[in-house]
Amino acid sequence: MTGFNTFWYCFKQGLKSIKRNILFSMASIATVAACIFLFSLFYSIVMNVQHITKEAETTVGITVFFDEGLSDEQKSAIGDMIKEKPGIKELRYISAEEAWDSFKTDYFGDDSEELAEAFADDNPLATSDNYEIFLENISDQQAMVQYIESLDGVREVNYSNAVVSAMSGMNRIISILSGAIIAVLIAVAIFLISNTISVAAAFRKRENEIMKLIGATNFMIRAPFVVEGVIIGFVGALIPVAAMYFIYKRAAAYVIEHYLQYTRLFEMIPLNEIFPAIVAVAMTLGVGMGFLVSFFTIRKHLKV
Amino acid sequence: MIELKNVCKTYETGNKAIRNINLNIRDGEFVFIVGKSGSGKSTLFKLLTRELKATSGEIIVNGCDLNKIKRRNIPKYRRTLGVVFQDFRLLYDRNVFENVAFAQRVIGASGSEIKRNVPEMLKLTGLGAKYKSYPNHLSGGEQQRVAIARALINHPQVLLADEPTGNLDSYNTHEIMRLLETVNSMGTTVIVITHSKEMVSEMKKRVITMDKGLIVSDEYPEKKPVSVMPVMGNSRSRGKSRRRPENTDDRI
Ligand SMILES: Nc1ncnc2c1ncn2[C@@H]1O[C@H](COP(=O)(O)OP(=O)(O)OP(=O)(O)O)[C@@H](O)[C@H]1O
Ligand SMILES: [Mg+2]
């Protein structure tokens, strides 16, 4: 129980130290909170863009149409040649009927049956049978398209590039930008936590020396300061986590309301899927930063 | 058992505060250390608390070699001591109770142990009514008693006190001396640095006199005060230097 008594004592001392040093502690908490808020904001943006890109990668495929009058054997020969290439996730033959069915639902929606009556026996997409290809990695797309176009019997290759490459580019810019901002903020937060701990330590320099002479261990003298740092980090993380919860919820609702009726492309990661990750990231960052910074600051200060 | 062999301490300034001291103090002894200002008494005190490290020689306290002790074992060593500093060195941000309790927290005592032991010790030191006061609101004598209560709360093997009555009137001085004597009678080795001739001559204990970093005399009392201690020794040691104690009370 000795260890527990000492730990509990150190914990209470840490709380006291924050109270005694309240202005500095508040400034540190605010900076940590700002830092972690931006971090989790950028984190969720990057995660969502990645999520959307991933969705796009799986939905945006390459469509290969054949020259007219090609036999089934020739078509499957083309399929085999495509499959030889590495990096193909899926290759699917879409018959003219399937193409028409999918077209009907896409364009006529629920009324497809009635509206499509007119074309009942005359599939307007009779020559539209094709291969639908999904790649493992969207960055291989260009090379793959060139290869398929060079094959005999291929009339046309359709693919969509714009969305995916825009997404990837955007993600890179956001990552770099947020990385830079967060780096500056982390530096400021480290500086402020370190300063808070230094002030607290200077304030208690005499007390700490006396404690040492009475037989207090380094642990006992340092732990209250580390507790102080950890609490600063913890509270500093708690605030942005709470803020993110509401902001994310609002943002997701906004997106559903304004965009989702047009396209499923902008679907956000559901809150209950991304929130645990945000909490984990924010807490690790806050508590980790508080712990490490106060630990090293106090080690430097109380080297006796 | 405290043993010093050829101990020297030279400060970084080149000041030779202690030059070749040899000394033996047995368990349960009561020893005064006297000497002119600057003779090295506080330096000796700091060597014994391991606040300072001897430049050369050997200091062994209860089997612990202070020149070889590992840094991480120093706290453990200090917990076997009770120390009273000349300038009190109380924790000014907490009250009397917490000051005394702190020494208990250092050894990892539980809340209930602290609630039992501290009031007892405050009563013994006559501070029962002042437990909520802050050190700044106490008289010099009261602060000194807080320091003593803190030093005694863990029942140390050795009590080291550097001028524990330095700024006190004779009434308070007597009170504190009586307390130290009580503690000594319960088995703690007591080492007191003092300037008070009155106290030294009155209490009839072993007296070590220092001058310019050397021990110049080590005298044993002719007789002990009957009221406090049983008379166990003879009376032939007065005036002889650095004799082995033969007449000390060695109850633990
Ligand atoms: N930190 C230090 N650095 C350099 N010299 C010191 C230091 N502390 C003490 N001294 C010197 O060492 C010598 C012994 O000092 P010490 O404090 O041990 O004397 P003292 O016997 O306790 O005196 P007093 O009775 O006035 O308290 C003195 O000459 C003093 O100037
Ligand atoms: Mg002194």
Side-chain angles (χ1 to χ4, degrees):
Chain A
M1 279 326 265
T2 293
F4 177 76
N5 291 330
T6 305
F7 180 82
W8 180 236
Y9 173 77
C10 291
F11 182 77
K12 285 194 294 191
Q13 287 300 308
L15 276 181
K16 264 195 194 149
S17 184
I18 288 188
K19 264 196 342 216
R20 194 166 26 214
N21 211 350
I22 191 73
L23 277 179
F24 263 93
S25 307
M26 297 284 257
S28 304
I29 289 174
T31 322
V32 172
C35 168
I36 292 177
F37 176 73
L38 284 185
F39 193 93
S40 33
L41 189 70
F42 287 129
Y43 174 80
S44 36
I45 290 175
V46 169
M47 289 314 277
N48 270 292
V49 172
Q50 250 171 36
H51 173 73
I52 291 167
T53 314
K54 261 251 140 53
E55 289 284 288
E57 280 180 359
T58 55
T59 50
V60 178
I62 301 171
T63 319
V64 181
F65 297 98
F66 312 104
D67 285 338
E68 246 166 279
L70 226 56
S71 70
D72 285 351
E73 288 80 46
Q74 282 170 311
K75 284 175 188 169
S76 73
I78 290 175
D80 290 342
M81 285 168 88
I82 294 173
K83 269 193 265 184
E84 271 173 23
K85 283 281 185 184
I88 306 267
K89 191 163 82 183
E90 197 186 333
L91 183 136
R92 206 146 59 90
Y93 178 75
I94 309 284
S95 67
E97 288 72 35
E98 280 177 284
W100 174 229
D101 278 346
S102 134
F103 183 87
K104 275 193 301 194
T105 8
D106 277 0
Y107 284 85
F108 303 122
D110 292 337
D111 309 321
S112 57
E113 292 307 322
E114 300 166 32
L115 284 166
E117 286 291 305
F119 300 103
D121 298 317
D122 181 22
N123 186 348
L125 301 181
T127 58
S128 288
D129 60 334
N130 60 64
Y131 278 128
E132 212 171 68
I133 302 165
F134 298 98
L135 300 179
E136 300 275 6
N137 201 327
I138 205 71
S139 57
D140 300 337
Q141 182 175 271
Q142 204 58 43
M144 184 61 68
V145 168
Q146 271 172 15
Y147 169 73
I148 299 170
E149 275 173 343
S150 72
L151 295 175
D152 277 340
V154 172
R155 169 163 54 99
E156 198 182 333
V157 180
N158 279 352
Y159 61 98
S160 163
N161 202 358
V163 180
V164 170
S165 65
M167 289 282 192
S168 301
M170 191 163 106
N171 227 6
R172 188 158 336 115
I173 291 168
I174 292 172
S175 300
I176 291 169
L177 195 74
S178 57
I181 295 172
I182 287 163
V184 170
L185 273 168
I186 286 181
V188 174
I190 286 174
F191 175 77
L192 270 177
I193 296 176
S194 175
N195 234 24
T196 308
I197 300 299
S198 296
V199 167
F203 197 83
R204 299 188 46 74
K205 190 169 178 5
R206 208 184 122 80
E207 268 78 8
N208 289 333
E209 274 162 12
I210 294 170
M211 288 178 192
K212 240 186 147 145
L213 285 174
I214 298 176
T217 53
N218 277 334
F219 173 84
M220 200 166 173
I221 292 172
R222 286 172 185 165
F225 297 98
V226 176
V227 168
E228 186 176 349
V230 168
I231 290 175
I232 287 174
F234 181 77
V235 177
L238 217 55
I239 296 168
V241 161
M244 274 309 289
Y245 182 83
F246 292 106
I247 291 172
Y248 197 93
K249 220 160 129 176
R250 289 296 295 273
Y254 185 87
V255 166
I256 287 170
E257 197 179 325
H258 289 85
Y259 295 108
L260 229 53
Q261 47 190 340
Y262 308 116
T263 171
R264 293 198 55 78
L265 200 60
F266 291 119
E267 193 183 38
M268 283 172 75
I269 306 172
L271 181 64
N272 58 9
E273 259 173 48
I274 197 174
F275 196 64
I278 291 178
V279 172
V281 167
M283 286 299 162
T284 310
L285 193 64
V287 173
M289 203 156 65
F291 177 82
L292 289 176
V293 173
S294 54
F295 181 80
F296 284 109
T297 304
I298 207 64
R299 230 166 81 117
K300 202 180 72 197
H301 260 265
L302 296 182
K303 220 178 250 169
V304 191
Chain B
M1 178 80 152
I2 298 171
E3 271 183 286
L4 284 85
K5 283 186 208 152
N6 307 315
V7 172
C8 298
K9 175 65 192 177
T10 307
Y11 282 107
E12 278 145 26
T13 57
N15 208 332
K16 290 191 168 69
I18 301 279
R19 9 175 143 217
N20 201 33
I21 280 191
N22 287 284
L23 179 64
N24 268 315
I25 297 172
R26 298 204 303 180
D27 289 343
E29 263 195 280
F30 192 125
V31 181
F32 282 116
I33 298 176
V34 299
K36 286 195 223 111
S37 182
S39 57
K41 305 183 297 295
S42 293
T43 306
L44 181 62
F45 177 90
K46 287 171 185 163
L47 288 174
L48 289 173
T49 60
R50 193 49 176 76
E51 195 178 339
L52 296 175
K53 197 173 171 181
T55 314
S56 66
E58 222 178 3
I59 305 176
I60 297 168
V61 182
N62 297 324
C64 196
D65 187 333
L66 297 192
N67 267 11
K68 296 201 182 118
I69 189 170
K70 289 204 183 80
R71 185 171 280 271
R72 67 163 189 279
N73 289 330
I74 292 175
K76 217 196 284 157
Y77 164 69
R78 284 181 179 152
R79 287 177 213 167
T80 67
L81 309 176
V83 281
V84 181
F85 304 95
Q86 189 170 0
D87 54 353
F88 312 149
R89 300 214 195 165
L90 301 175
L91 304 170
Y92 288 93
D93 63 336
R94 30 196 120 176
N95 62 28
V96 169
F97 184 94
E98 274 305 319
N99 262 279
V100 179
F102 182 75
Q104 289 253 286
R105 299 195 195 284
V106 161
I107 61 166
S110 71
S112 58
E113 284 172 294
I114 289 171
K115 281 199 191 91
R116 194 179 59 235
N117 296 338
V118 175
E120 212 170 86
M121 183 51 69
L122 290 177
K123 210 166 129 205
L124 187 68
T125 47
L127 288 162
K130 297 275 184 183
Y131 73 100
K132 265 185 171 166
S133 305
Y134 281 78
N136 286 329
H137 300 157
L138 295 176
S139 76
E142 286 163 343
Q143 288 188 43
Q144 194 69 74
R145 274 180 285 170
V146 176
I148 291 171
R150 182 180 67 187
L152 294 177
I153 186 78
N154 293 338
H155 303 289
Q157 296 169 25
V158 180
L159 179 69
L160 282 164
D162 191 353
E163 304 196 29
T165 58
N167 309 310
L168 303 185
D169 60 29
S170 69
Y171 175 76
N172 275 312
T173 303
H174 272 101
E175 289 288 293
I176 284 176
M177 278 303 140
R178 195 138 303 141
L179 184 62
L180 295 180
E181 210 155 32
T182 311
V183 169
N184 178 241
S185 73
M186 296 190 298
T188 298
T189 308
V190 178
I191 301 171
V192 180
I193 295 171
T194 185
H195 279 298
S196 167
K197 289 220 164 58
E198 180 199 352
M199 185 162 67
V200 172
S201 61
E202 197 177 298
M203 290 191 63
K204 310 262 188 301
K205 304 285 184 191
R206 180 180 175 189
V207 179
I208 294 165
T209 310
M210 291 183 65
D211 190 30
K212 299 195 184 93
L214 289 166
I215 291 178
V216 290
S217 86
D218 186 352
E219 303 173 345
Y220 291 91
E222 286 180 17
K223 64 174 193 269
K224 298 189 171 205
V226 186
S227 59
V228 179
M229 303 269 207
V231 178
M232 290 177 69
N234 54 39
S235 58
R236 60 193 169 86
S237 53
R238 175 164 278 272
K240 303 270 169 64
S241 280
R242 293 201 288 279
R243 290 177 54 99
R244 277 199 65 88
E246 292 159 7
N247 57 339
T248 43
D249 180 4
D250 46 19
R251 283 180 301 161
I252 308 252

